[in-house]
Amino acid sequence: MHLLPTISTFFIALSAILVAIGWILIVKNKRKQHKAVMISAAVSALLFFIIYVSRTVFVGNTSFGGPENIQTYFTIFLIFHIILATVGAIFGIVTLVLAFKRNIKKHRKIGPVTSVIWFFSAITGVMVYIFLYVLYEPGETTSMIKAILGL
């Protein structure tokens, strides 16, 4: 059953779309709407994280089920995505904290960088989902370390 991965992927894609909308709103100087949309993006990302961690803890992760000749490339891509998502999450938290503390000068500097990292993180996350559940039959669902290393 791929329901939880599908739902979590939906939420991360939604968060990226909301970040893009928030960016457009701030460019148009619509601060109130920007704030509401960016908080919605953060909530969407948090929902992704809660679903992902819950699934990892209680069910496990799905290993790559595609051809062996591209498994190494997928693993490298997955590690890149994990690093990017981690950096994006840290940047996202810092950017939100700066906004809530009303440190707008720093928020304006880091916000665009955070957004770009988040877009790439979401795009690569959706691609991981496509590789694991759409293009190929899913591999074994097992612990995160086994899934990442292909053991």
Side-chain angles (χ1 to χ4, degrees), residues 9 74 77 120-132 135:
T9 302
F74 173 78
F77 182 79
F120 282 106
S121 174
I123 290 166
T124 58
V126 170
M127 290 173 66
V128 166
Y129 173 83
I130 290 169
F131 273 100
L132 289 177
L135 291 179

Side-chain angles (χ1 to χ4, degrees), residues 6-16 41 43-45 47-48 51:
T6 302
I7 293 170
S8 65
T9 302
F10 165 79
F11 279 120
I12 207 60
L14 177 61
S15 75
V43 169
S44 181
L47 288 170
F48 156 79
I51 294 167

